[in-house]
Structure formats: C-alpha cells, structure tokens
Amino acid sequence: MSKTASITGGSAFRFGLLLLAMPLLLWLFLLVILPHMDLFLVSMRERISYGKYEFSLINYIEFFAEPLYWNTYVRTAVMSIFATILTLVIGFPVSYYIAKVMRGKGKNALFLMCLIPFWVSELVRTFGWMILLRESGVISNFLQWAGIADGPVEMLYNDAAIMVGLVYTSMLFMVVPLVSVLDSLDDSLIEAGYDLGGNAFTVTRDIVIPHAMPGIASGCIVVFMLTLGNYLTPNLLGGKDSLWFTEQIYTQFITRFNWESGSAFGFLLLILSSAIVWIGLKLSKQTLSETVG
Amino acid sequence: MADQFDLECRNVVKTFDDFTAVNDISLAIPKGSFFSILGPSGCGKTTLLRMLAGFQAPTSGDILIKGASVLGVPPNRRPVNMVFQHLALFPMMNVAENVAYGLKRRGVDKATITQKVNETLARVGLPDAGPKQISQLSGGQKQRIAIARCLVLDPAVLLLDEPLGALDLKLREHMKVELKQLQHEIGTTFVYITHDQSEALVMSDQVAVMNAGRFEQVGAPQDLYYNPKTAFVAGFVGESNRWHGTVEGGDDHKIEINLASGGKVIAKRDGQTNLVTGQGVDVFVRPEAIAIDGTEGADNSLSAKVDNVLFNGAASSLQVRELVTGHEMTVALPQTGAFASVKAGDEIRLSWSVEQTRCFASTEGGAGA
Ligand SMILES: Nc1ncnc2c1ncn2[C@@H]1O[C@H](COP(=O)(O)OP(=O)(O)OP(=O)(O)O)[C@@H](O)[C@H]1O
Ligand SMILES: [Mg+2]
C-alpha cells in the first residue's frame, strides 16, 4: 500500500479492503475465535448439579493432580518433537535430492511420488501400515518365511510403530516447504562454497541450512502441530497403550461426557503447541512472519 | 618450461550428449597475465571456465595448473578461484565473513584471518565494509567483495565469468579500469570471460576469440583489431562494414572482388593463397578507415548519400547509403571536427585503401545479401 493510494483512495479503498478480507475475517471469527472462547469459558466452570454451573479452576487442578494426565501430556509433547526431528532428518536429504540433484522429468516424478500417498485418506494409509506390521502381517510372514523368526512377530502397538506412522503421515508437509526453499537457493552459492575450499559438510552447514532455515522452521511447525493433534495414527498403531493426549480429550468429551474437563485439556494442548512453537522459533532465531511469508 | 604457464589446456573437448559445447581448445596462459575469452552468448565460455574451476570434467583433453594436471582434482582442492557470473556472495554472512570463508576452510588461525581480511578489503578499496550485510552493498561494491573473497586465498589463477555483466554502463566503464589496475598491482593471473569486446580489448594482455566452441584467434587486442584472421573475428571485434562478394582476380598482394550488391573493391590478400577466382568472400572495412571526400586516386572509392548523423562526441558517425547499389554503411566522423556540418541528405564521396580492406572466404559458401 503506497502512501498516495491511501490518500487519494481514502475510505473507499479501505472499505474495499474490508470487503475483500471479509471471508477471512468471518472464518477466523466463526471457526477459530468463537469456539476457542467457548472452550475457554466451558473449561472454567464446574457442574454443581443438572444445568447448574459455577466458576471454578477444578478442571485444571484435576489435570495436575492426576499423574496419568500430565504424563500423557509430556509424553505426547516429547514424542511429537521427536517425530518432527525425525521427519526433518529424513525429509531434508530427500528434499535436497529433489530440488538440487534431480533435473527435469525425474524431479517432477520424484516429487509426485512423495505426493501420491496423500491421495488416499489418512485412515487408509494407517491401515496400510497395520497390514504390514501386525502379527499376521506381511513383514511378520516374510520373516518367518525367510527363517529369521520362529513364530509370528507383533510389530504393532508400540512406540516405534507410532513413530513410523507419524513420520510417514507428516513427510509431505516437511518436503513441500523444504523443496521450495531449496529450489530458491542459487546453485552458484553452493559451487562458490566448494570453490572456496568447503566440503559437503561445511557447505551444507554454512550455506544450505542457513538458507533453508525459514523452510525448515515452517515445515517443523506444521509437522509438529499435525503430530501433536493427531488422533488416528497413534490410536490405531499404538493401540490401547498409545497414551496420546488427544485420546484423553476424546475420552473426556465422548466417553465420560465431561465437557468441562475436555475443554480444559483442549486448552492445555493449545498452550503446549503454542509454547513449543515459540521456543522453537526463538532457538532457531526465526520469526513467525518470516516463516509464513 | 611448462611451469612458466600458470594454466594450460591441451585439446580440451566437452560434449553434452551429442552437442559439442567446447571443441578442441588448447591454450597456455603465462604467469601474471590478463587473459580474456571473448565470444557471443552460448559459445561455450562458461563451460570452459567451469572445467578450469573443476565443476565439470572435460570429455577429453588435459588441464594443467602450474604444470601439473588437475584432472580429477575437485574444485575445493584446485589452486584456482572463481568469481561467478552473478557473484554468488553468501547472503547469510556479512562482508568480513564472506571474505574470511575460504581462509576458515583452510584452518587458518583467527588472528591471521582478521588481518588478511582487513588487508584484502583495503586492497579493493573497501576497508570499512567488513561488518556490512551483503544486501547493503552497491553493485560495484559487491563486485569488489566477490573479487576480494577469492584474492584473499592467493590463487594461482583467478577465473572471472562476466563479472561486470550485471552492472550499469557507467559503473562497468569504471570497474573495467579498476580491475585492470588491480590485476596489475597484485600480479595474479586473471582469466576473464566476456561477450563485451570493449571489456576484453581494454583490459587484456591476450584475448581469445571464441565461437561455437572453438578459438578463432588468440592474440593481443591490437592484433585482433588490426589483423583479424577469420571473418568471425573481423565481424565480432570492433565495428565493421561488411559486404559479400566473389573473387574476380588479383595478384599476390591484392584481390579484386565483385560485390553481390554491385560494384567492385580491392582487398589485401594477406597471404590467403586459398582465395581463388569465383570464390565467395566476406569483405570488411572499419568505419574509421574510410575517408570522407578523400583524394581521387584512392584504391577504393564510391559515392554515398547521408541517411543519418549519429552524434556521439568523439565517437560520432554517419549512416550512409551507397548511391548506386543502396548498400548501407557506417563511416566514422573525424575527431578533428571537420565535416561537422554534414547533414542527412548530403552526398559525399568515400574512399579507403587496399591495406584497410580485408576479405575472408565466406562461411556461407556463396554470396548472400
Ligand atoms: N549441463 C549442460 N547440459 C547440456 N547443455 C549444456 C549444459 N551446459 C551448457 N550447455 C550448452 O552449452 C552451450 C554453451 O553454454 P555456455 O554456458 O558455456 O555458454 P556461454 O558462452 O557461457 O554463454 P553466455 O555468454 O550466455 O553465458 C550452450 O548451448 C548450452 O546450451
Ligand atoms: Mg556464461
């Protein structure tokens, strides 16, 4: 917006802008702010008797008093951070290969291959993993056939299975921002790095990663949030013992019909994800606007 | 003997699939000289330079630096450094870090790095630029930092790929002189790539004119200008008036040529015994070799009408059209200011000598338009 435009355009211009932004504002208000405000209000009350409520912090106190709740909370956070890091570690070389090594047709084909799993729903994808990993599944049968294992091997329902599922589900959301940010890195910068005596390690550390930092940050934020809020994958691949915080929320809302406590948990999850994203941005010296823009 | 040359290429060839980008190039660059490679866009200059830097391997042939073959030596271990076409300064580092990068990779200690960086920045005339960000530099300053980043490593050969291409005309003129001076002071061998003939002529000790993957001619700038050996060099280096024609006759010193557009000129044979009667040739005459209203008795002369006066100070010229054939020519106006009163529509008489008329076997076979 230039100065002259706002002077000559005046209020008409501002009204036009408002009109253009209306769908976005409505969306923000109706679907983001309003439900969260409601969630917040519900979480701050206690049911005294049927239809009677009172202001109280009991839902939050309950959360900290019950070790299962905050153990699950911390475990979900740690597992999500780990899944994000793992996705980054796997996704970075893949993205580098797609953006900088491949040329022409092969490049598009490879990118498409990263995309194809996302044409089916997450549910189907997760069942795919279950078919591979379960006791009577493909890998188990193969191991028995090859004589490596004596009996059926159960590979589902543990943390590793959850991790595999989460990383697989998140990969695209890491690869897309990384490929686009690496694509924008001029090849001659990399070559200049080598020309001045750098090797693969120092060039990656000094030139490629600093350049890719906004992409790394935005990929990590998206993957972390998706993982933290994921319900399906930890539940199906981890089974009863998955101990994922979204499950606790589900239980409160649906099984126990305790909306007050569920709302409090939902709010705590929001605070958790905001806090970790904020710390992550501070540690990597990125700003949110840079990452999103 | 070989180590008198900082850089040597022996029959270097580079092909991409079935396309030959660099075709059988040999060169030897003496220590401390400023060597330019001049050629039109796409002739293979960058490809040649990238082979020297080690980013591409030649399909065949050998490259020697200070007398030792560097085939198979990766770029980070070759004693050459490159200034990239778009400079490739690291935007994630400040100026001092950019210049220090190569030294750090060599494991030089901190105190020495600081000292050398400061020395080099001073040498390129930017002693206080160290803490600046790359985005805060002007085009010419970036240029100098890109060169400083290489010079600090004391390379045997500095490779420059059209480093002035992105600058505006005024700055380019200025940097030309500055680069030559810098090279003169530090004595490092420069290999400079450009498609701008004035850059090559002004700065270089030796120029190689490249066309379609081959060297057409290698020589001092004066040599290329006054004694071109091929039609391409005559046409590419400096301005020229050009005709097509066929050989009519002549002797050991002169060749008589019938021009395709009509008329006849006499050109210098210059030892070209291969030009026989009936052969198609290209004829070149420089605009400044043509005298206006010259004496009768000249070897070549014709009458023309002035189409346009292109006034450009000392480099003013006339666009004229030959009266009989309508062939367009450019004629330089003498710097003395004589003929300053010539204007469009005037009829003038042009003449030039045999010595100033060059002809080469036509590349297109017959005589074209
Ligand atoms: N990696 C490659 N694969 C296939 N062809 C290539 C490759 N690199 C260069 N070429 C071809 O080689 C030819 C020479 O390219 P080069 O970059 O050396 O030209 P140049 O003389 O530097 O041109 P310019 O002045 O425009 O920079 C071009 O026709 C180009 O298409
Ligand atoms: Mg080039």
Side-chain angles (χ1 to χ4, degrees), chain A residues 172-216:
Chain A
L172 182 73
F173 302 97
M174 187 63 87
V175 167
V176 169
L178 283 182
V179 166
S180 85
V181 79
L182 288 174
D183 250 340
S184 73
L185 174 62
D186 192 349
D187 286 346
S188 63
L189 284 185
I190 299 175
E191 283 176 352
Y194 281 106
D195 188 61
L196 295 169
N199 53 34
F201 171 74
T202 54
V203 167
T204 307
R205 184 193 62 192
D206 301 334
I207 295 156
V208 180
I209 290 183
H211 177 91
M213 216 51 210
I216 292 175

Side-chain angles (χ1 to χ4, degrees), chain B residues 16 19 21 39-48 56 85 161-162 195:
Chain B
F16 296 110
F19 174 76
S41 192
C43 70
K45 306 183 293 293
T46 300
T47 308
L48 177 60
Q56 271 162 341
Q85 200 155 3
D161 188 357
E162 300 195 36
H195 62 249

